[in-house]
Amino acid sequence: MEEIYNAETVEEKWQKYWEEKDCFKVCEDKSKKKFYLLEMFPYPSGKLHMGHVRNYTIGDLTARYKKMKGFNVIHPMGWDAFGMPAENAARDNNTHPAKWTYANIDNMKKQLKRLGFSYDWSREVTTCTPEYYRWEQWLFIQMYKKGMAYRKMASVNWCEKCQTVLANEQVEDGQCWRCSSEVQQKKLNQWFFKITDYAEDLLNYCDKLTGWPEKVTTMQKNWIGKSEGAYIDFDVEGLDEKIKVFTTRPDTLYGCTFMCLAPEHPFVEKFASASGKLDEVKKFQEKVSRQERTAKAIETAEKEGVFTGVYCINPANKRKVPVYAANFALMEYGTGAVMSVPAHDQRDFDFAKKYSLEIIPVITPKNEDLTAEDLDKAYSLPGILKNSDEFNGKENEAAKKLIVEKLALENRAEIAVTYRLRDWGISRQRYWGTPIPMIHCEKCGIVPVNEEELPVKLPEEANILENGSSPLPVLESFYKVKCPKCGMDAKRDTDTMDTFVESSWYFLRYCSPGFDKGMFSKEAADYWMPVDQYIGGVEHAVMHLLYSRYFTRVLNDLGLVSVREPFENLLTQGMVCKEIMRCPVHGYIYPEEAKKTDKGNMECMICGSAIEVGRKEKMSKSKKNVVDPNSLINNYGADTTRLFSLFAAPPERDLEWTEEGVEGANRFLNRVWRLVSGLIEEIKGSSPFRGDFDKLSGASRDIYRKTSETIEKAGHDIDRFHFNTAIAVVMELVNLIYSSLDKKDDLNREVLMHSIESIILILSPMVPHFCQELWSLTGHDSILTEELWPEIDKKALVPDEVLVVVQINGKLRAKLNIIPDADEDEVKKLALENEAVIKYTDGKTPKKVIYIKNKLVNIVL
RNA sequence: GCCGAAGUGGUGGAAUUGGUAGACACGCCAGGCUUAGAACCUGGUGGCGCGAGUCGUGGAGGUUCGAGUCCUCUCUUCGGCACCA
């Protein structure tokens, strides 16, 4: 056996073996319990980053561990291969998106294999292949037939730089999520998925997703944003119109003293022209449209409005109420009209102060009488109604219902629920995406492509245009088609789908990746689904996870799959961080551009200046605080890389990358290696201890017991994703064996063999190449991927003696070693007779003596 | 503004259910091995104190025989939502 562990040759050897022997291939097997382990598939950007490595290491450990626990584990991998970076790269490097994408996939796949991940590559799914998107198009047509996909003119978020529309979720603080340029509004005819039909269902199930972090379900709930209230109709004075408002506070209706419409509300111009105020109103509209829509701007922007010149009638008290157009009213929410109650809403209050509008309190705290003069801000707490006719004196919560009921009798109000969630706009004016399988015919309107003609292939001869936009709208061979219905000349839809569509069902495709009679085989999907453990970044908490839940519901309702929720358990891993380094001359610098001086400071290798070491932040190219997985593997090997990312922090927390930490992980592997190589002559050929624990004594007994404890604790820790502590207990065992080695004469070889075997087995899901090599070297013919998790000898878990601590008034004063489950009175007696205890009790009689079995005695004086 | 999470040694982090705070690792210190270094092995390492001790889990209270853990208030950091009517 080599004295030193050579990661490179060992890793290469076993990777080759695994691949040749197809070790990770799985099939449905109804005799076994299945386990679907899924990691979020990557966008093939070209290279893996440390975030991927961490995500997939956690996944691989879990997959291998579950397999050792006897599950039939499916562990697939694929590529979220459509998307804009491919187009950008194609334009910048004068290549084709497909070429770029496939080259990246090739490269990243090599990297994944170098890390030794146990993927069943026969299930690889690549979303940009016609075999995949064909079925997405098919589903689109089914959804269209059910009214679940529809088209409407919509004001969309338009990014001038990317030349495309963005989903609401892709707009962050009014800026494009990718390029951060300002998002504008543009009217376009768009395809939408009716996710709002499922808003209630998606919301209700949030609380049933007990295997998800609460943080994520809360974010989804916020995103869906249900609010319960009422629609109330206001008559308009002098015009035959009704203004419908949505309010969550019908109890404050009597306090409504003005009305605010969104500037783009259709009534605004209508009213203004009726009253002759069109000029002023138009000026206001223009001003608002120029206003910034970023969160910051909104926060600081003053509430502003303009009187339309028209009054409406408060249906409760018939009061005449002026109608304003106001910058804080949003057309996208509710009805675009707000009944303003300045006494009880802060925005309305600000607005009323600015324009000297009347403020009438209608809710007052119990045992107090709130008047308009008392108010220096809106009162928004619960209370008792006043100034509200027959509702005076009622609790405001109760009044909500009563007021709506009264108005409902006259057809002026109804209970209503609104959601913040919008329908999912999926049209993208891009090339590198799934073509929308629809044809526009002048005579027949919108006609789906015949299903036999699917897929509508993305024409590969096309290339991105100079300005970066899609070639499809100008590619005659693509858009010029015959109408499937009437046979006349017609035009193909030249938009492609949002790439979140592909990732909303890839986990189903993995169940039967080659299936050519549908999206997936129902039989296979019903065997494998739901995903038992999903692992990925928290950045997908809303979009991807919500869309996937939505798609699973749609597919369930179409009878294509039996599950309704796709992901049973979710683990969101933290980010990989590293400190930022800045050279006063060169700005941000890469870690490899810095070196440590003798004094322990960092200096720039280019210019020698002292480097400011900044705080730890998420690794990003722009800050140059990145580490390339490839160089890590080259320097230390895949197993060290894997071990470090598991040991340095629990998975859900951020992981701070340090060179010292990586070296520590490497050191541990070498320590295990040396332990085995030092013992190999002695233990090789021995079988692991299977005898009676009671016959063991001395160091052998201790080691055997510690081994049993380690198997138990490591398994338990892995079950709850505490990988760092699972590794720590193995380190403890290794330390114990090391420190027992000088007592070698006592050591039972079979016990040693048992311990070494156990260490190898426990570590094998984490550092599989390393363990497989040791497994073979210690005389095993089998392949570790077929081995089961080691058995625990329960008998050895019972300690010979337990440590009972003795406290006096809660302070630790003595320790007793006692046989387990000793008689309570005897332990108390022993404690009280203890020398140190006598010193502290000082002859006093204890008031109370508390005994916790096998743990502690607390003497209260 | 609203909602949520987290604050533990010099550092990353341990501590099922309230029961020895600081496992394991990094770093540091000492010793061993070595011609020397690296590597490795052994030991030490929360603060204060020579010591018996004493103080210690962001801060202030509280419950309890006993609190990192439970309750109230508060500070800080991070994340999400946000003119949502």
Side-chain angles (χ1 to χ4, degrees), chain A residues 1 5 10-11 13-18 23-24 64 68 639 673 676 757 759-787:
Chain A
M1 179 170 173
Y5 167 58
V10 167
E11 288 176 358
K13 169 172 146 194
W14 293 109
Q15 282 163 18
K16 208 170 147 208
Y17 183 92
W18 292 330
C23 286
F24 308 123
R64 287 175 183 262
M68 291 180 90
D639 282 338
W673 184 269
V676 176
E757 273 197 358
I759 290 169
I760 295 170
L761 288 167
I762 295 169
L763 292 178
S764 68
M766 310 173 189
V767 286
H769 318 83
F770 175 84
C771 289
Q772 180 61 60
E773 181 70 8
L774 286 182
W775 191 249
S776 303
L777 289 170
T778 47
H780 301 84
D781 299 327
S782 64
I783 184 85
L784 275 177
T785 55
E786 298 302 326
E787 289 293 323

Side-chain angles (χ1 to χ4, degrees), chain A residues 203-249:
Chain A
L203 181 69
N204 286 337
Y205 267 82
C206 279
D207 290 324
K208 294 179 196 160
L209 293 171
T210 51
W212 285 37
E214 210 184 298
K215 174 175 146 177
V216 174
T217 48
T218 305
M219 281 165 74
Q220 295 213 345
K221 285 189 216 165
N222 285 344
W223 192 262
I224 294 168
K226 180 179 181 174
S227 60
E228 290 172 275
Y231 288 126
I232 299 175
D233 291 336
F234 284 59
D235 286 332
V236 178
E237 193 185 54
L239 285 168
D240 188 23
E241 290 287 0
K242 279 192 169 72
I243 304 175
K244 191 183 274 297
V245 302
F246 174 75
T247 180
T248 55
R249 297 296 305 273

